Amino acid sequence: MKEARSILKQVYGYDTFRKGQEEIIGGIVDGHDTLAILPTGGGKSICYQLPALLLPGTTLVISPLISLMKDQVDSLRRLGVSAAFLNSSLGAAEYREVLRGAMQGDYKLLYVAPERLDSAMFQSLSEQLQIPLIAIDEAHCVSQWGHDFRPSYRQLAGWIARMANRPLVAAFTATATPEVAEDIEAMLRLREPRRFVTGFARPNLSLSVVTGVDKKRFLAKFLQERPEQSGIIYAATRKETEEVCAILRASGIEADKYHGGLGDAERAEAQESFRFDRSRVMVATNAFGMGIDKPNVRFVLHWQMPGDLESYYQEAGRAGRDGEESDCILLFEPADMQVQRFLIEQGSGDTERKSVQLSKLNLMMNYSRTQRCLQQFIVDYFGESDVERCGKCSSCLDKSEAVDRTEEAKMALSCVGRMKGRFGVTMAAKVLKGSRDKRLLEFGLDRLTTYGLMSRLPEKEIADWLYWLVAEGYMRLSEGQYPTVSLTANALPVLEGKQTITQRVRASVRQSGGGSSSAQSTPLFEALKQWRREAAAREGVPPFMIFFDATLKDISDAQPRELDELLSLKGIGAAKGDKYGADILRIVAEFAGEDNGAGGAAKLVPAKPRTASRAGADGDTPSHLVSLAMFNEGMTTGEIAKERGFSQVTVEGHIIRGAGEGNEVDWDRIVPPGQEPLILAAIEKVGAEKLRPIKDELPPEVAYFAIHGVLCKHGIGQ
Ligand code: ADP
């Protein structure tokens, strides 16, 4: 396994394996069929990619998700590994080309969609290629008991069995109850498989249930506390998705929306914009998510309670795939129960299915109001019982005092008791409020002794209180489209004064930044992100494919000066070091105020003027003056960056440095007219020690370049 560890470092830039990875890889390399169940973000890909690199020949990877396949192949190529995919997104010519390469054994990994395979194709691949291993991703798709059954997966076992030299087979999934795991092994006809279950807990997720808050105000504050973070907001309906997205946009947050009512193109565009970090927040219905591998989703916020815990955990689990601290917040109102019930009643499916859904809904409800550790509650549901309290979910952190609500409970229960199970929650709330509703008066409900008992509270709050009592089991709702509410046996001791009722109101979520390394920002980190954005745009890939946020943060913390130092950081393997190392070291040096021949943005000390000349690109003229000369010839910083193979940030640094040394420059091109007084005012307000606070004071269109420019022009600062 020493070899595996050295590849882990060399190729991926990681020092240690995650839980289970080493055993799984070792097992495969030693020749065992394998079923591995790892949570989302647990690092399944490496478990088959690494054996593929260690074993001779081409490993086939069967995966149902076309968009993920492309990402995986792009990522592998970036790491210097030869890989390709065959699926329906390829044109005929491309397809033939890849197939030809595959037959020649050009690839270490070949990803194939199961729909693309047939018996003949499998046969010819296996005859012409050395295939040591077949990795089957999302293996739960083979099981009818899994939540995403795909008939095409059923054919795989037969084809594999007919191969002349049956390769090893390794199956991977994130979600499998013990029954589904059995079924996968049987359906894929695994031979004496080793089964690894690393657990369902996600230690980097902080789960919270928040109730009794004004959602819009909560959201505004929540996002304000996380100015840099990217996240998903799940809403139950299209209408709400639209509304939440509009609110965010109105307050200046880059948000996109995604739901079934939008056209294909619009949805694809929203998804790309989110993946490429062009927008910060995705507001979506549950239509959004399958195949989302964006690693830096820092939060997933549910605007309402979803219908079951599997869906909730799957959606919430899209946070923190990169292993960084992330938040999953469920905004819960007791009335959500009603919405979900309605959706189930209205939905398709027979009575049996509906009753299963209703019991799942009850469980979801229990999650939403449990005082147990939320992580424990979830893993328990998936059949894992020996997990410790997470210590950071809203239950574990709950310090709220339990409030005695016995009096309000008695009012509500006696009112509902008097209504004799003939009306719904809404009407009961109207009675308690003392409403002049027409139907209420027609039924003579204003004559009940409980009429108007809670008139000081808003009607919605009374309804929520009633739903809370339902959730706590003191009342029950009938089934059907218009459920009525009635008392359960639990209500009696309360009404008789033998039992008190207490309620905890939780409304706090962990503050952002508690240990989350990506939460704090520095000018160097911002500069690295800017460079990454440019590099990603040039290469047409999402920024995370170049480096994760965590890697950039590590770079900005460690400020490496040498390539070796850079390579010692997590997430930077040899190929990326070769490709991007020089750029990164240059940016770091600039921010450290050091001159490694490329200039220094943060070093604005005027020196003896030297003439800017373009001629000496490879001669005596220092690099920054070459850039300045090109700028003075009318080229934009972007054009210069492209021509010289530097990042735009570097070029901007060159120009500022050159100008700071007293060389001639057209300041208006650095600081657009009108911005200078704004920037000066901002500097006056927050000082000139750090750029970030200055930037935050200013409208978004004011660039760092302009701020640097003003500092330099006025000889202010570092
Ligand atoms: P999943 O199990 O959800 O398929 P991935 O294979 O996509 O997870 O891995 C999730 C993320 O974790 C990836 O970005 C991957 O690069 C990273 N990762 C995997 N293994 C390690 C490791 N040993 N050390 C650090 N990061 C890792």
Side-chain angles (χ1 to χ4, degrees):
M1 286 309 287
K2 229 175 106 202
E3 217 184 332
R5 234 167 287 143
S6 103
I7 294 186
L8 185 71
K9 180 70 197 157
Q10 263 287 314
V11 175
Y12 296 91
Y14 298 140
D15 289 319
T16 48
F17 281 109
R18 291 227 180 111
K19 190 172 164 196
Q21 284 180 327
E22 196 161 14
E23 294 78 4
I24 295 167
I25 292 166
I28 296 174
V29 175
D30 284 347
H32 298 283
D33 275 7
T34 299
L35 169 62
I37 304 172
L38 274 78
T40 308
K44 283 183 280 298
S45 324
I46 283 183
C47 292
Y48 56 80
Q49 290 173 359
L50 232 152
L53 296 176
L54 288 166
L55 297 168
T58 304
T59 289
L60 286 191
V61 184
I62 313 289
S63 167
L65 302 173
I66 290 178
S67 59
L68 286 196
M69 236 183 242
K70 177 167 179 348
D71 278 1
Q72 291 250 345
V73 167
D74 282 350
S75 296
L76 281 167
R77 288 188 181 158
R78 226 147 262 287
L79 298 173
V81 175
S82 58
F85 62 84
L86 288 173
N87 64 33
S88 54
S89 73
L90 295 180
E94 265 177 309
Y95 193 88
R96 272 195 305 276
E97 183 64 20
V98 172
L99 201 56
R100 200 165 43 103
M103 294 301 186
Q104 290 171 5
D106 284 353
Y107 312 117
K108 284 308 288 175
L109 288 112
L110 179 63
Y111 285 73
V112 194
E115 289 79 3
R116 278 278 122 179
L117 284 172
D118 55 30
S119 197
M121 159 116 166
F122 222 90
Q123 203 67 29
S124 68
L125 277 176
S126 66
E127 275 162 14
Q128 298 204 28
L129 267 183
Q130 184 181 9
I131 302 176
L133 168 66
I134 297 186
I136 301 176
D137 204 5
E138 311 290 346
H140 58 273
C141 293
V142 77
S143 168
Q144 280 201 45
W145 313 114
H147 54 77
D148 195 18
F149 173 56
R150 294 184 184 227
S152 55
Y153 262 61
R154 278 287 161 92
Q155 316 249 27
L156 289 169
W159 295 332
I160 295 170
R162 284 195 289 277
M163 288 169 79
N165 290 312
R166 179 191 180 275
L168 289 166
V169 181
F172 296 87
T173 177
T175 43
T177 56
E179 301 84 60
V180 174
E182 290 286 331
D183 204 31
I184 294 173
E185 291 177 357
M187 287 298 147
L188 290 175
R189 291 188 230 161
L190 301 187
R191 294 185 185 165
E192 294 172 33
R194 289 198 171 175
R195 191 192 293 182
F196 296 91
V197 185
T198 61
F200 295 92
R202 298 277 310 274
N204 63 318
L205 299 187
S206 298
L207 302 161
S208 301
V209 177
V210 175
T211 188
V213 293
D214 178 310
K215 292 184 184 183
K216 289 175 188 160
R217 225 176 293 152
F218 176 86
L219 180 63
K221 183 158 179 288
F222 180 81
L223 292 177
Q224 207 174 30
E225 284 169 3
R226 297 160 172 73
E228 302 295 330
Q229 297 185 0
S230 173
I232 306 173
I233 298 174
Y234 278 109
T237 61
R238 295 173 184 182
K239 185 163 162 270
E240 236 154 2
T241 305
E242 295 278 347
E243 277 170 16
V244 175
C245 183
I247 294 172
L248 295 182
R249 285 182 180 166
S251 58
I253 290 168
E254 304 95 344
D256 270 309
K257 59 189 173 190
Y258 190 106
H259 59 69
L262 302 172
D264 285 351
E266 210 174 335
R267 275 189 311 201
E269 199 179 306
Q271 178 161 337
E272 283 312 275
S273 143
F274 184 59
R275 282 181 73 233
F276 279 70
D277 286 340
R278 289 195 291 269
S279 68
R280 176 152 95 88
V281 180
M282 175 63 99
V283 189
T285 61
N286 60 7
F288 177 70
M290 188 64 166
I292 288 301
D293 63 344
K294 186 173 153 71
N296 64 336
V297 174
R298 284 281 73 80
F299 63 85
V300 172
L301 188 145
H302 279 76
W303 199 244
Q304 288 99 357
M305 176 185 78
D308 63 75
L309 205 53
E310 285 109 315
S311 308
Y312 177 68
Y313 201 42
Q314 196 175 40
E315 288 161 11
R318 293 187 179 126
R321 288 179 73 101
D322 54 8
E324 293 285 302
E325 288 293 324
S326 307
D327 290 305
C328 306
I329 294 105
L330 170 60
L331 296 184
F332 166 68
E333 295 300 331
D336 293 350
M337 174 86 174
Q338 210 34 49
V339 177
Q340 291 298 340
R341 275 180 77 105
F342 179 76
L343 291 175
I344 294 174
E345 300 288 348
Q346 294 292 298
S348 57
D350 51 27
T351 338
E352 198 186 342
R353 183 162 165 73
K354 285 185 176 169
S355 115
V356 172
Q357 285 177 311
L358 282 173
S359 65
K360 287 192 172 197
L361 175 60
N362 277 332
L363 201 101
M364 184 67 226
M365 186 75 174
N366 291 344
Y367 172 84
S368 306
R369 62 193 176 83
T370 185
Q371 290 175 10
R372 261 187 90 185
C373 166
L374 297 175
Q375 181 74 85
Q376 270 184 342
F377 189 103
I378 289 180
V379 299
D380 204 8
Y381 175 67
F382 285 109
E384 210 182 332
S385 55
D386 53 351
V387 173
E388 304 220 330
R389 282 168 65 85
C390 72
K392 58 183 181 180
C393 70
S394 55
S395 292
C396 288
L397 296 180
D398 186 11
K399 293 201 178 65
S400 62
E401 299 260 318
V403 186
D404 187 329
R405 303 286 305 263
T406 313
E407 278 315 302
E408 288 101 322
K410 277 186 177 168
M411 291 177 192
L413 294 174
S414 67
C415 183
V416 168
R418 279 160 222 272
M419 292 171 77
K420 308 259 184 266
R422 286 168 46 215
F423 300 92
V425 165
T426 313
M427 186 58 89
K430 283 188 194 299
V431 173
L432 282 161
K433 174 72 191 171
S435 153
R436 304 301 296 163
D437 179 83
K438 198 159 146 259
R439 276 185 67 235
L440 184 156
L441 298 176
E442 274 167 23
F443 284 113
L445 294 172
D446 55 333
R447 291 198 299 274
L448 293 178
T449 51
T450 50
Y451 181 75
L453 261 187
M454 301 180 91
S455 58
R456 68 191 165 80
L457 294 177
E459 199 174 301
K460 170 156 185 322
E461 224 167 274
I462 302 174
D464 280 348
W465 173 234
L466 294 172
Y467 281 120
W468 189 83
L469 290 167
V470 171
E472 291 291 314
Y474 298 102
M475 313 199 291
R476 81 163 73 81
L477 296 174
S478 66
E479 296 197 354
Q481 196 175 341
Y482 302 105
T484 58
V485 59
S486 56
L487 300 184
T488 67
N490 297 339
L492 279 183
V494 183
L495 286 168
E496 289 167 359
K498 291 184 190 150
Q499 189 191 326
T500 56
I501 289 188
T502 52
Q503 187 189 32
R504 285 176 185 271
V505 180
R506 293 189 304 239
S508 66
V509 177
R510 199 173 55 94
Q511 294 281 311
S512 134
S516 162
S517 60
S518 55
Q520 304 103 28
S521 181
T522 61
L524 174 54
F525 181 53
E526 290 304 317
L528 289 166
K529 271 169 62 177
Q530 161 83 12
W531 162 81
R532 181 180 64 176
R533 254 194 300 278
E534 291 162 22
R538 260 198 309 276
E539 296 179 30
V541 296
F544 68 76
M545 226 174 253
I546 304 221
F547 287 118
F548 283 180
D549 289 356
T551 308
L552 295 189
K553 193 70 191 35
D554 282 354
I555 297 172
S556 80
D557 288 346
Q559 305 204 358
R561 304 293 166 86
E562 307 287 340
L563 191 59
D564 276 357
E565 267 180 86
L566 183 67
L567 289 175
S568 73
L569 299 176
K570 184 173 144 190
I572 309 175
K576 288 196 180 177
D578 273 356
K579 185 158 183 194
Y580 305 119
D583 254 7
I584 291 174
L585 292 174
R586 194 178 305 118
I587 295 171
V588 171
E590 283 167 9
F591 273 78
E594 194 184 277
D595 187 357
N596 67 351
K603 191 172 150 195
L604 304 172
V605 190
K608 190 166 138 286
R610 282 166 100 162
T611 315
S613 135
R614 204 180 156 171
D618 49 3
D620 292 342
T621 312
S623 184
H624 65 287
L625 295 181
V626 177
S627 293
L628 180 60
M630 291 164 89
F631 187 68
N632 285 342
E633 280 172 21
M635 289 174 77
T636 65
T637 51
E639 286 163 354
I640 302 169
K642 205 159 169 204
E643 184 165 327
R644 302 200 66 200
F646 290 147
S647 79
Q648 196 167 338
V649 176
T650 302
V651 170
E652 289 174 4
H654 287 173
I655 292 160
I656 299 288
R657 183 169 176 220
E661 289 172 357
N663 289 293
E664 195 180 319
V665 72
D666 177 1
W667 285 104
D668 282 355
R669 289 183 58 215
I670 301 177
V671 189
Q675 289 191 0
E676 189 165 341
L678 292 178
I679 298 173
L680 284 169
I683 294 171
E684 178 130 356
K685 187 159 168 209
V686 299
E689 286 75 44
K690 291 196 178 134
L691 293 177
R692 179 75 210 203
I694 305 177
K695 176 95 171 85
D696 287 345
E697 278 297 309
L698 291 160
E701 66 271 15
V702 179
Y704 275 109
F705 190 34
I707 301 174
H708 274 305
V710 170
L711 288 168
C712 175
K713 189 173 168 189
H714 293 265
I716 311 170
Q718 307 104 15

